[in-house]
PDB file of all heavy atoms in Angstrom:
ATOM      1  N   VAL A   1       0.747  -1.185   0.028  1.00  0.00           N
ATOM      2  CA  VAL A   1       0.047  -0.014   0.028  1.00  0.00           C
ATOM      3  C   VAL A   1       0.860   1.315  -0.011  1.00  0.00           C
ATOM      4  O   VAL A   1       0.329   2.339  -0.270  1.00  0.00           O
ATOM      5  CB  VAL A   1      -0.951   0.051   1.178  1.00  0.00           C
ATOM      6  CG1 VAL A   1      -1.860  -1.181   1.156  1.00  0.00           C
ATOM      7  CG2 VAL A   1      -0.207   0.158   2.497  1.00  0.00           C
ATOM      8  N   ALA A   2       2.122   1.158   0.305  1.00  0.00           N
ATOM      9  CA  ALA A   2       2.991   2.335   0.355  1.00  0.00           C
ATOM     10  C   ALA A   2       4.172   2.156  -0.537  1.00  0.00           C
ATOM     11  O   ALA A   2       5.233   1.553  -0.247  1.00  0.00           O
ATOM     12  CB  ALA A   2       3.445   2.501   1.841  1.00  0.00           C
ATOM     13  N   PRO A   3       4.108   2.575  -1.760  1.00  0.00           N
ATOM     14  CA  PRO A   3       5.068   2.408  -2.803  1.00  0.00           C
ATOM     15  C   PRO A   3       6.445   3.182  -2.608  1.00  0.00           C
ATOM     16  O   PRO A   3       7.439   2.824  -3.061  1.00  0.00           O
ATOM     17  CB  PRO A   3       4.350   2.744  -4.053  1.00  0.00           C
ATOM     18  CG  PRO A   3       3.369   3.798  -3.686  1.00  0.00           C
ATOM     19  CD  PRO A   3       2.845   3.290  -2.322  1.00  0.00           C
ATOM     20  N   ASP A   4       6.354   4.300  -1.773  1.00  0.00           N
ATOM     21  CA  ASP A   4       7.613   5.032  -1.606  1.00  0.00           C
ATOM     22  C   ASP A   4       7.804   5.112  -0.096  1.00  0.00           C
ATOM     23  O   ASP A   4       6.944   4.844   0.759  1.00  0.00           O
ATOM     24  CB  ASP A   4       7.481   6.389  -2.159  1.00  0.00           C
ATOM     25  CG  ASP A   4       6.373   7.304  -1.587  1.00  0.00           C
ATOM     26  OD1 ASP A   4       6.570   7.592  -0.353  1.00  0.00           O
ATOM     27  OD2 ASP A   4       5.488   7.731  -2.218  1.00  0.00           O
ATOM     28  N   ILE A   5       9.049   5.541   0.292  1.00  0.00           N
ATOM     29  CA  ILE A   5       9.497   5.424   1.610  1.00  0.00           C
ATOM     30  C   ILE A   5       8.688   6.440   2.551  1.00  0.00           C
ATOM     31  O   ILE A   5       8.426   5.956   3.749  1.00  0.00           O
ATOM     32  CB  ILE A   5      11.015   5.720   1.749  1.00  0.00           C
ATOM     33  CG1 ILE A   5      11.522   5.445   3.107  1.00  0.00           C
ATOM     34  CG2 ILE A   5      11.340   7.163   1.333  1.00  0.00           C
ATOM     35  CD1 ILE A   5      12.956   5.350   3.336  1.00  0.00           C
ATOM     36  N   VAL A   6       8.280   7.514   2.125  1.00  0.00           N
ATOM     37  CA  VAL A   6       7.557   8.518   2.912  1.00  0.00           C
ATOM     38  C   VAL A   6       6.201   7.954   3.249  1.00  0.00           C
ATOM     39  O   VAL A   6       5.823   7.925   4.435  1.00  0.00           O
ATOM     40  CB  VAL A   6       7.472   9.866   2.282  1.00  0.00           C
ATOM     41  CG1 VAL A   6       6.512  10.830   3.029  1.00  0.00           C
ATOM     42  CG2 VAL A   6       8.818  10.571   2.042  1.00  0.00           C
ATOM     43  N   GLN A   7       5.476   7.341   2.320  1.00  0.00           N
ATOM     44  CA  GLN A   7       4.265   6.774   2.592  1.00  0.00           C
ATOM     45  C   GLN A   7       4.368   5.539   3.531  1.00  0.00           C
ATOM     46  O   GLN A   7       3.590   5.375   4.422  1.00  0.00           O
ATOM     47  CB  GLN A   7       3.499   6.220   1.323  1.00  0.00           C
ATOM     48  CG  GLN A   7       3.063   7.380   0.382  1.00  0.00           C
ATOM     49  CD  GLN A   7       2.369   6.879  -0.857  1.00  0.00           C
ATOM     50  OE1 GLN A   7       1.469   6.109  -0.770  1.00  0.00           O
ATOM     51  NE2 GLN A   7       2.844   7.298  -2.076  1.00  0.00           N
ATOM     52  N   ARG A   8       5.436   4.748   3.261  1.00  0.00           N
ATOM     53  CA  ARG A   8       5.692   3.628   4.096  1.00  0.00           C
ATOM     54  C   ARG A   8       5.895   3.993   5.577  1.00  0.00           C
ATOM     55  O   ARG A   8       5.426   3.337   6.495  1.00  0.00           O
ATOM     56  CB  ARG A   8       6.729   2.730   3.547  1.00  0.00           C
ATOM     57  CG  ARG A   8       6.878   1.360   4.230  1.00  0.00           C
ATOM     58  CD  ARG A   8       7.669   0.436   3.406  1.00  0.00           C
ATOM     59  NE  ARG A   8       9.021   0.908   3.041  1.00  0.00           N
ATOM     60  CZ  ARG A   8       9.486   1.186   1.820  1.00  0.00           C
ATOM     61  NH1 ARG A   8       8.626   1.196   0.828  1.00  0.00           N
ATOM     62  NH2 ARG A   8      10.762   1.529   1.628  1.00  0.00           N
ATOM     63  N   GLU A   9       6.644   5.017   5.690  1.00  0.00           N
ATOM     64  CA  GLU A   9       6.962   5.500   7.106  1.00  0.00           C
ATOM     65  C   GLU A   9       5.768   6.010   7.775  1.00  0.00           C
ATOM     66  O   GLU A   9       5.559   5.822   8.976  1.00  0.00           O
ATOM     67  CB  GLU A   9       8.159   6.593   7.049  1.00  0.00           C
ATOM     68  CG  GLU A   9       9.481   5.994   6.798  1.00  0.00           C
ATOM     69  CD  GLU A   9      10.028   5.272   7.960  1.00  0.00           C
ATOM     70  OE1 GLU A   9      10.197   5.931   9.032  1.00  0.00           O
ATOM     71  OE2 GLU A   9      10.373   4.070   7.842  1.00  0.00           O
ATOM     72  N   GLN A  10       4.923   6.663   6.990  1.00  0.00           N
ATOM     73  CA  GLN A  10       3.618   7.207   7.624  1.00  0.00           C
ATOM     74  C   GLN A  10       2.684   6.177   8.028  1.00  0.00           C
ATOM     75  O   GLN A  10       2.162   6.123   9.100  1.00  0.00           O
ATOM     76  CB  GLN A  10       2.938   8.131   6.610  1.00  0.00           C
ATOM     77  CG  GLN A  10       1.729   8.863   7.199  1.00  0.00           C
ATOM     78  CD  GLN A  10       2.017   9.676   8.393  1.00  0.00           C
ATOM     79  OE1 GLN A  10       2.477  10.814   8.337  1.00  0.00           O
ATOM     80  NE2 GLN A  10       1.753   9.134   9.597  1.00  0.00           N
ATOM     81  N   TYR A  11       2.605   5.155   7.170  1.00  0.00           N
ATOM     82  CA  TYR A  11       1.681   4.007   7.511  1.00  0.00           C
ATOM     83  C   TYR A  11       2.241   3.227   8.735  1.00  0.00           C
ATOM     84  O   TYR A  11       1.530   2.819   9.630  1.00  0.00           O
ATOM     85  CB  TYR A  11       1.461   3.057   6.430  1.00  0.00           C
ATOM     86  CG  TYR A  11       0.388   3.492   5.414  1.00  0.00           C
ATOM     87  CD1 TYR A  11       0.746   4.101   4.172  1.00  0.00           C
ATOM     88  CD2 TYR A  11      -0.985   3.509   5.781  1.00  0.00           C
ATOM     89  CE1 TYR A  11      -0.198   4.598   3.259  1.00  0.00           C
ATOM     90  CE2 TYR A  11      -1.920   3.895   4.860  1.00  0.00           C
ATOM     91  CZ  TYR A  11      -1.561   4.457   3.635  1.00  0.00           C
ATOM     92  OH  TYR A  11      -2.509   4.905   2.764  1.00  0.00           O
ATOM     93  N   ALA A  12       3.573   3.195   8.785  1.00  0.00           N
ATOM     94  CA  ALA A  12       4.220   2.497   9.982  1.00  0.00           C
ATOM     95  C   ALA A  12       3.992   3.287  11.220  1.00  0.00           C
ATOM     96  O   ALA A  12       3.679   2.626  12.348  1.00  0.00           O
ATOM     97  CB  ALA A  12       5.714   2.392   9.735  1.00  0.00           C
ATOM     98  N   ASP A  13       3.913   4.659  11.080  1.00  0.00           N
ATOM     99  CA  ASP A  13       3.551   5.410  12.304  1.00  0.00           C
ATOM    100  C   ASP A  13       2.098   5.140  12.731  1.00  0.00           C
ATOM    101  O   ASP A  13       1.804   5.091  13.961  1.00  0.00           O
ATOM    102  CB  ASP A  13       3.649   6.885  11.946  1.00  0.00           C
ATOM    103  CG  ASP A  13       5.119   7.441  11.997  1.00  0.00           C
ATOM    104  OD1 ASP A  13       6.022   6.643  12.132  1.00  0.00           O
ATOM    105  OD2 ASP A  13       5.327   8.669  11.846  1.00  0.00           O
ATOM    106  N   PHE A  14       1.207   4.961  11.736  1.00  0.00           N
ATOM    107  CA  PHE A  14      -0.103   4.657  12.207  1.00  0.00           C
ATOM    108  C   PHE A  14      -0.230   3.326  12.896  1.00  0.00           C
ATOM    109  O   PHE A  14      -0.947   3.117  13.931  1.00  0.00           O
ATOM    110  CB  PHE A  14      -1.021   4.424  10.779  1.00  0.00           C
ATOM    111  CG  PHE A  14      -1.202   5.706  10.076  1.00  0.00           C
ATOM    112  CD1 PHE A  14      -1.578   5.672   8.748  1.00  0.00           C
ATOM    113  CD2 PHE A  14      -1.111   7.017  10.659  1.00  0.00           C
ATOM    114  CE1 PHE A  14      -1.817   6.844   8.021  1.00  0.00           C
ATOM    115  CE2 PHE A  14      -1.322   8.189   9.929  1.00  0.00           C
ATOM    116  CZ  PHE A  14      -1.575   8.071   8.633  1.00  0.00           C
ATOM    117  N   VAL A  15       0.534   2.309  12.477  1.00  0.00           N
ATOM    118  CA  VAL A  15       0.490   1.035  13.145  1.00  0.00           C
ATOM    119  C   VAL A  15       1.174   1.041  14.498  1.00  0.00           C
ATOM    120  O   VAL A  15       0.682   0.501  15.506  1.00  0.00           O
ATOM    121  CB  VAL A  15       1.268  -0.036  12.230  1.00  0.00           C
ATOM    122  CG1 VAL A  15       1.298  -1.384  12.933  1.00  0.00           C
ATOM    123  CG2 VAL A  15       0.545  -0.207  10.852  1.00  0.00           C
ATOM    124  N   ARG A  16       2.218   1.777  14.615  1.00  0.00           N
ATOM    125  CA  ARG A  16       3.027   1.833  15.863  1.00  0.00           C
ATOM    126  C   ARG A  16       2.414   2.885  16.810  1.00  0.00           C
ATOM    127  O   ARG A  16       2.858   2.898  17.982  1.00  0.00           O
ATOM    128  CB  ARG A  16       4.485   2.248  15.576  1.00  0.00           C
ATOM    129  CG  ARG A  16       5.314   1.230  14.865  1.00  0.00           C
ATOM    130  CD  ARG A  16       6.702   1.668  14.815  1.00  0.00           C
ATOM    131  NE  ARG A  16       7.597   0.659  14.280  1.00  0.00           N
ATOM    132  CZ  ARG A  16       8.308   0.797  13.067  1.00  0.00           C
ATOM    133  NH1 ARG A  16       8.181   1.971  12.393  1.00  0.00           N
ATOM    134  NH2 ARG A  16       9.058  -0.153  12.647  1.00  0.00           N
ATOM    135  N   ASN A  17       1.548   3.746  16.393  1.00  0.00           N
ATOM    136  CA  ASN A  17       1.022   4.870  17.239  1.00  0.00           C
ATOM    137  C   ASN A  17       2.220   5.730  17.705  1.00  0.00           C
ATOM    138  O   ASN A  17       2.307   6.093  18.775  1.00  0.00           O
ATOM    139  CB  ASN A  17       0.292   4.290  18.382  1.00  0.00           C
ATOM    140  CG  ASN A  17      -0.504   5.441  19.038  1.00  0.00           C
ATOM    141  OD1 ASN A  17      -1.108   6.320  18.450  1.00  0.00           O
ATOM    142  ND2 ASN A  17      -0.584   5.356  20.375  1.00  0.00           N
ATOM    143  N   ARG A  18       3.097   6.092  16.764  1.00  0.00           N
ATOM    144  CA  ARG A  18       4.325   6.779  17.041  1.00  0.00           C
ATOM    145  C   ARG A  18       4.092   8.107  17.519  1.00  0.00           C
ATOM    146  O   ARG A  18       3.169   8.859  17.009  1.00  0.00           O
ATOM    147  CB  ARG A  18       5.201   6.740  15.740  1.00  0.00           C
ATOM    148  CG  ARG A  18       6.677   7.215  16.057  1.00  0.00           C
ATOM    149  CD  ARG A  18       7.579   6.803  14.879  1.00  0.00           C
ATOM    150  NE  ARG A  18       8.885   7.184  15.101  1.00  0.00           N
ATOM    151  CZ  ARG A  18       9.945   6.742  14.386  1.00  0.00           C
ATOM    152  NH1 ARG A  18       9.666   5.909  13.422  1.00  0.00           N
ATOM    153  NH2 ARG A  18      11.195   7.135  14.681  1.00  0.00           N
ATOM    154  N   MET A  19       4.894   8.614  18.491  1.00  0.00           N
ATOM    155  CA  MET A  19       4.743   9.963  18.982  1.00  0.00           C
ATOM    156  C   MET A  19       6.012  10.817  18.896  1.00  0.00           C
ATOM    157  O   MET A  19       5.922  11.976  19.281  1.00  0.00           O
ATOM    158  CB  MET A  19       4.256   9.952  20.395  1.00  0.00           C
ATOM    159  CG  MET A  19       5.218   9.226  21.413  1.00  0.00           C
ATOM    160  SD  MET A  19       4.511   9.217  23.037  1.00  0.00           S
ATOM    161  CE  MET A  19       3.076   8.344  22.896  1.00  0.00           C
ATOM    162  N   PHE A  20       7.093  10.294  18.468  1.00  0.00           N
ATOM    163  CA  PHE A  20       8.380  11.040  18.410  1.00  0.00           C
ATOM    164  C   PHE A  20       9.250  10.598  17.306  1.00  0.00           C
ATOM    165  O   PHE A  20       9.354   9.336  17.065  1.00  0.00           O
ATOM    166  CB  PHE A  20       9.095  10.873  19.751  1.00  0.00           C
ATOM    167  CG  PHE A  20      10.313  11.750  19.873  1.00  0.00           C
ATOM    168  CD1 PHE A  20      10.160  13.152  20.045  1.00  0.00           C
ATOM    169  CD2 PHE A  20      11.579  11.223  19.982  1.00  0.00           C
ATOM    170  CE1 PHE A  20      11.402  13.912  20.174  1.00  0.00           C
ATOM    171  CE2 PHE A  20      12.715  11.996  20.118  1.00  0.00           C
ATOM    172  CZ  PHE A  20      12.661  13.373  20.194  1.00  0.00           C
ATOM    173  N   ARG A  21       9.798  11.499  16.574  1.00  0.00           N
ATOM    174  CA  ARG A  21      10.790  11.144  15.530  1.00  0.00           C
ATOM    175  C   ARG A  21      12.085  11.954  15.643  1.00  0.00           C
ATOM    176  O   ARG A  21      12.097  13.025  16.105  1.00  0.00           O
ATOM    177  CB  ARG A  21      10.080  11.392  14.157  1.00  0.00           C
ATOM    178  CG  ARG A  21       9.243  10.291  13.585  1.00  0.00           C
ATOM    179  CD  ARG A  21       8.770  10.561  12.143  1.00  0.00           C
ATOM    180  NE  ARG A  21       8.199   9.371  11.570  1.00  0.00           N
ATOM    181  CZ  ARG A  21       8.797   8.460  10.932  1.00  0.00           C
ATOM    182  NH1 ARG A  21      10.058   8.607  10.694  1.00  0.00           N
ATOM    183  NH2 ARG A  21       8.160   7.398  10.451  1.00  0.00           N
ATOM    184  N   GLN A  22      13.090  11.348  15.046  1.00  0.00           N
ATOM    185  CA  GLN A  22      14.384  11.915  14.950  1.00  0.00           C
ATOM    186  C   GLN A  22      14.829  11.860  13.445  1.00  0.00           C
ATOM    187  O   GLN A  22      15.625  10.959  13.101  1.00  0.00           O
ATOM    188  CB  GLN A  22      15.356  11.311  15.807  1.00  0.00           C
ATOM    189  CG  GLN A  22      15.021  11.246  17.338  1.00  0.00           C
ATOM    190  CD  GLN A  22      15.626  10.173  18.028  1.00  0.00           C
ATOM    191  OE1 GLN A  22      16.721  10.273  18.508  1.00  0.00           O
ATOM    192  NE2 GLN A  22      14.937   9.044  18.274  1.00  0.00           N
ATOM    193  N   THR A  23      14.410  12.815  12.708  1.00  0.00           N
ATOM    194  CA  THR A  23      14.387  12.760  11.210  1.00  0.00           C
ATOM    195  C   THR A  23      15.694  13.454  10.665  1.00  0.00           C
ATOM    196  O   THR A  23      16.081  14.500  11.186  1.00  0.00           O
ATOM    197  CB  THR A  23      13.133  13.390  10.586  1.00  0.00           C
ATOM    198  OG1 THR A  23      12.052  12.560  10.953  1.00  0.00           O
ATOM    199  CG2 THR A  23      13.274  13.479   9.172  1.00  0.00           C
ATOM    200  N   LEU A  24      16.235  12.908   9.689  1.00  0.00           N
ATOM    201  CA  LEU A  24      17.405  13.435   9.038  1.00  0.00           C
ATOM    202  C   LEU A  24      17.037  13.983   7.585  1.00  0.00           C
ATOM    203  O   LEU A  24      16.365  13.225   6.865  1.00  0.00           O
ATOM    204  CB  LEU A  24      18.524  12.386   8.860  1.00  0.00           C
ATOM    205  CG  LEU A  24      18.981  11.732  10.142  1.00  0.00           C
ATOM    206  CD1 LEU A  24      20.239  10.837   9.814  1.00  0.00           C
ATOM    207  CD2 LEU A  24      19.271  12.699  11.191  1.00  0.00           C
ATOM    208  N   LEU A  25      17.460  15.118   7.296  1.00  0.00           N
ATOM    209  CA  LEU A  25      17.154  15.850   5.978  1.00  0.00           C
ATOM    210  C   LEU A  25      18.409  16.150   5.325  1.00  0.00           C
ATOM    211  O   LEU A  25      19.478  16.300   5.961  1.00  0.00           O
ATOM    212  CB  LEU A  25      16.338  17.113   6.241  1.00  0.00           C
ATOM    213  CG  LEU A  25      14.896  16.989   6.876  1.00  0.00           C
ATOM    214  CD1 LEU A  25      14.419  18.323   7.189  1.00  0.00           C
ATOM    215  CD2 LEU A  25      13.940  16.142   6.094  1.00  0.00           C
ATOM    216  N   CYS A  26      18.336  16.272   4.027  1.00  0.00           N
ATOM    217  CA  CYS A  26      19.520  16.714   3.191  1.00  0.00           C
ATOM    218  C   CYS A  26      18.956  17.459   1.980  1.00  0.00           C
ATOM    219  O   CYS A  26      17.746  17.552   1.865  1.00  0.00           O
ATOM    220  CB  CYS A  26      20.375  15.518   2.740  1.00  0.00           C
ATOM    221  SG  CYS A  26      19.462  14.363   1.686  1.00  0.00           S
ATOM    222  N   HIS A  27      19.866  18.020   1.224  1.00  0.00           N
ATOM    223  CA  HIS A  27      19.465  18.841   0.171  1.00  0.00           C
ATOM    224  C   HIS A  27      18.655  17.960  -0.880  1.00  0.00           C
ATOM    225  O   HIS A  27      18.985  16.752  -1.074  1.00  0.00           O
ATOM    226  CB  HIS A  27      20.596  19.495  -0.600  1.00  0.00           C
ATOM    227  CG  HIS A  27      21.159  20.613   0.162  1.00  0.00           C
ATOM    228  ND1 HIS A  27      20.371  21.753   0.379  1.00  0.00           N
ATOM    229  CD2 HIS A  27      22.349  20.870   0.734  1.00  0.00           C
ATOM    230  CE1 HIS A  27      21.097  22.711   1.027  1.00  0.00           C
ATOM    231  NE2 HIS A  27      22.360  22.152   1.299  1.00  0.00           N
ATOM    232  N   LYS A  28      17.771  18.573  -1.589  1.00  0.00           N
ATOM    233  CA  LYS A  28      16.950  17.877  -2.645  1.00  0.00           C
ATOM    234  C   LYS A  28      17.852  17.312  -3.701  1.00  0.00           C
ATOM    235  O   LYS A  28      17.548  16.210  -4.309  1.00  0.00           O
ATOM    236  CB  LYS A  28      15.930  18.745  -3.212  1.00  0.00           C
ATOM    237  CG  LYS A  28      15.117  18.242  -4.326  1.00  0.00           C
ATOM    238  CD  LYS A  28      14.108  19.337  -4.844  1.00  0.00           C
ATOM    239  CE  LYS A  28      13.218  18.837  -5.989  1.00  0.00           C
ATOM    240  NZ  LYS A  28      12.359  19.851  -6.545  1.00  0.00           N
ATOM    241  N   SER A  29      18.960  17.918  -3.971  1.00  0.00           N
ATOM    242  CA  SER A  29      19.862  17.548  -5.060  1.00  0.00           C
ATOM    243  C   SER A  29      20.853  16.462  -4.627  1.00  0.00           C
ATOM    244  O   SER A  29      21.540  15.906  -5.442  1.00  0.00           O
ATOM    245  CB  SER A  29      20.681  18.726  -5.552  1.00  0.00           C
ATOM    246  OG  SER A  29      21.409  19.283  -4.411  1.00  0.00           O
ATOM    247  N   ALA A  30      20.896  16.038  -3.358  1.00  0.00           N
ATOM    248  CA  ALA A  30      21.850  15.154  -2.875  1.00  0.00           C
ATOM    249  C   ALA A  30      21.412  13.740  -3.365  1.00  0.00           C
ATOM    250  O   ALA A  30      20.214  13.390  -3.319  1.00  0.00           O
ATOM    251  CB  ALA A  30      21.837  15.111  -1.368  1.00  0.00           C
ATOM    252  N   PRO A  31      22.352  13.072  -3.961  1.00  0.00           N
ATOM    253  CA  PRO A  31      22.048  11.643  -4.501  1.00  0.00           C
ATOM    254  C   PRO A  31      21.853  10.579  -3.471  1.00  0.00           C
ATOM    255  O   PRO A  31      22.818  10.214  -2.768  1.00  0.00           O
ATOM    256  CB  PRO A  31      23.228  11.372  -5.426  1.00  0.00           C
ATOM    257  CG  PRO A  31      24.349  12.070  -4.716  1.00  0.00           C
ATOM    258  CD  PRO A  31      23.815  13.297  -4.090  1.00  0.00           C
ATOM    259  N   ILE A  32      20.658  10.138  -3.234  1.00  0.00           N
ATOM    260  CA  ILE A  32      20.409   9.096  -2.142  1.00  0.00           C
ATOM    261  C   ILE A  32      20.161   7.767  -2.881  1.00  0.00           C
ATOM    262  O   ILE A  32      19.473   7.699  -3.866  1.00  0.00           O
ATOM    263  CB  ILE A  32      19.135   9.475  -1.353  1.00  0.00           C
ATOM    264  CG1 ILE A  32      19.335  10.756  -0.536  1.00  0.00           C
ATOM    265  CG2 ILE A  32      18.655   8.272  -0.471  1.00  0.00           C
ATOM    266  CD1 ILE A  32      18.163  11.128   0.235  1.00  0.00           C
ATOM    267  N   SER A  33      20.785   6.729  -2.303  1.00  0.00           N
ATOM    268  CA  SER A  33      20.628   5.390  -2.907  1.00  0.00           C
ATOM    269  C   SER A  33      20.309   4.481  -1.638  1.00  0.00           C
ATOM    270  O   SER A  33      21.132   4.448  -0.687  1.00  0.00           O
ATOM    271  CB  SER A  33      21.914   4.842  -3.559  1.00  0.00           C
ATOM    272  OG  SER A  33      21.740   3.518  -3.826  1.00  0.00           O
ATOM    273  N   ARG A  34      19.125   3.733  -1.715  1.00  0.00           N
ATOM    274  CA  ARG A  34      18.826   2.831  -0.643  1.00  0.00           C
ATOM    275  C   ARG A  34      19.061   1.400  -0.963  1.00  0.00           C
ATOM    276  O   ARG A  34      18.647   0.510  -0.294  1.00  0.00           O
ATOM    277  CB  ARG A  34      17.354   3.092  -0.347  1.00  0.00           C
ATOM    278  CG  ARG A  34      17.006   4.509   0.020  1.00  0.00           C
ATOM    279  CD  ARG A  34      15.654   4.805   0.733  1.00  0.00           C
ATOM    280  NE  ARG A  34      15.377   6.173   0.803  1.00  0.00           N
ATOM    281  CZ  ARG A  34      15.718   6.910   1.702  1.00  0.00           C
ATOM    282  NH1 ARG A  34      16.541   6.478   2.663  1.00  0.00           N
ATOM    283  NH2 ARG A  34      15.443   8.275   1.743  1.00  0.00           N
ATOM    284  N   ALA A  35      19.793   1.222  -2.122  1.00  0.00           N
ATOM    285  CA  ALA A  35      20.264  -0.141  -2.429  1.00  0.00           C
ATOM    286  C   ALA A  35      21.519  -0.570  -1.694  1.00  0.00           C
ATOM    287  O   ALA A  35      22.610  -0.297  -2.163  1.00  0.00           O
ATOM    288  CB  ALA A  35      20.519  -0.253  -4.013  1.00  0.00           C
ATOM    289  N   LEU A  36      21.392  -1.129  -0.575  1.00  0.00           N
ATOM    290  CA  LEU A  36      22.453  -1.398   0.337  1.00  0.00           C
ATOM    291  C   LEU A  36      23.202  -2.648  -0.143  1.00  0.00           C
ATOM    292  O   LEU A  36      22.558  -3.731  -0.543  1.00  0.00           O
ATOM    293  CB  LEU A  36      21.990  -1.562   1.798  1.00  0.00           C
ATOM    294  CG  LEU A  36      21.109  -0.467   2.346  1.00  0.00           C
ATOM    295  CD1 LEU A  36      20.795  -0.687   3.796  1.00  0.00           C
ATOM    296  CD2 LEU A  36      21.800   0.931   2.117  1.00  0.00           C
ATOM    297  N   SER A  37      24.547  -2.605  -0.099  1.00  0.00           N
ATOM    298  CA  SER A  37      25.327  -3.792  -0.594  1.00  0.00           C
ATOM    299  C   SER A  37      26.721  -3.756   0.129  1.00  0.00           C
ATOM    300  O   SER A  37      26.968  -2.890   0.996  1.00  0.00           O
ATOM    301  CB  SER A  37      25.543  -3.632  -2.101  1.00  0.00           C
ATOM    302  OG  SER A  37      26.241  -2.424  -2.400  1.00  0.00           O
ATOM    303  N   LEU A  38      27.559  -4.613  -0.346  1.00  0.00           N
ATOM    304  CA  LEU A  38      28.948  -4.683   0.168  1.00  0.00           C
ATOM    305  C   LEU A  38      29.624  -3.338   0.091  1.00  0.00           C
ATOM    306  O   LEU A  38      30.323  -2.916   0.989  1.00  0.00           O
ATOM    307  CB  LEU A  38      29.759  -5.721  -0.635  1.00  0.00           C
ATOM    308  CG  LEU A  38      31.304  -5.709  -0.309  1.00  0.00           C
ATOM    309  CD1 LEU A  38      31.603  -5.995   1.098  1.00  0.00           C
ATOM    310  CD2 LEU A  38      31.941  -6.733  -1.220  1.00  0.00           C
ATOM    311  N   GLU A  39      29.397  -2.554  -1.021  1.00  0.00           N
ATOM    312  CA  GLU A  39      30.043  -1.278  -1.193  1.00  0.00           C
ATOM    313  C   GLU A  39      29.608  -0.313  -0.087  1.00  0.00           C
ATOM    314  O   GLU A  39      30.279   0.663   0.242  1.00  0.00           O
ATOM    315  CB  GLU A  39      29.757  -0.736  -2.541  1.00  0.00           C
ATOM    316  CG  GLU A  39      30.461  -1.371  -3.667  1.00  0.00           C
ATOM    317  CD  GLU A  39      30.014  -2.835  -3.906  1.00  0.00           C
ATOM    318  OE1 GLU A  39      28.820  -3.129  -3.676  1.00  0.00           O
ATOM    319  OE2 GLU A  39      30.792  -3.627  -4.353  1.00  0.00           O
ATOM    320  N   SER A  40      28.390  -0.458   0.485  1.00  0.00           N
ATOM    321  CA  SER A  40      27.955   0.349   1.575  1.00  0.00           C
ATOM    322  C   SER A  40      28.721   0.295   2.858  1.00  0.00           C
ATOM    323  O   SER A  40      28.736   1.226   3.581  1.00  0.00           O
ATOM    324  CB  SER A  40      26.401  -0.011   1.857  1.00  0.00           C
ATOM    325  OG  SER A  40      25.609   0.018   0.777  1.00  0.00           O
ATOM    326  N   LEU A  41      29.492  -0.845   2.924  1.00  0.00           N
ATOM    327  CA  LEU A  41      30.309  -1.061   4.171  1.00  0.00           C
ATOM    328  C   LEU A  41      31.799  -0.647   3.962  1.00  0.00           C
ATOM    329  O   LEU A  41      32.609  -0.926   4.812  1.00  0.00           O
ATOM    330  CB  LEU A  41      30.190  -2.502   4.612  1.00  0.00           C
ATOM    331  CG  LEU A  41      28.823  -2.931   5.091  1.00  0.00           C
ATOM    332  CD1 LEU A  41      28.873  -4.455   5.612  1.00  0.00           C
ATOM    333  CD2 LEU A  41      28.223  -1.995   6.146  1.00  0.00           C
ATOM    334  N   GLU A  42      32.044  -0.027   2.772  1.00  0.00           N
ATOM    335  CA  GLU A  42      33.484   0.366   2.559  1.00  0.00           C
ATOM    336  C   GLU A  42      33.840   1.490   3.666  1.00  0.00           C
ATOM    337  O   GLU A  42      33.165   2.532   3.780  1.00  0.00           O
ATOM    338  CB  GLU A  42      33.556   1.062   1.223  1.00  0.00           C
ATOM    339  CG  GLU A  42      34.990   1.474   0.869  1.00  0.00           C
ATOM    340  CD  GLU A  42      35.114   1.940  -0.552  1.00  0.00           C
ATOM    341  OE1 GLU A  42      34.241   1.702  -1.291  1.00  0.00           O
ATOM    342  OE2 GLU A  42      36.194   2.591  -0.875  1.00  0.00           O
TER     343      GLU A  42
END
């Protein structure tokens, strides 16, 4: 039901009844990759 990470996080909040977050932001232009692999541990 949640195809992107923001929607998935929001639905997870609904399930957990979450009341506090510690969110990290970066520039819109920053290249984010969530495909974690061996190279991620370099």
Side-chain angles (χ1 to χ4, degrees):
V1 303
D4 66 63
I5 189 169
V6 173
Q7 291 183 52
R8 189 159 61 247
E9 286 289 300
Q10 183 59 80
Y11 279 106
D13 281 6
F14 294 158
V15 176
R16 292 187 176 116
N17 195 37
R18 190 165 181 166
M19 62 178 62
F20 185 68
R21 274 188 171 269
Q22 301 159 81
T23 294
L24 306 186
L25 300 173
C26 61
H27 284 297
K28 180 182 178 181
S29 59
I32 293 178
S33 172
R34 305 193 191 278
L36 308 183
S37 64
L38 170 61
E39 287 69 29
S40 305
L41 294 186
E42 183 178 346

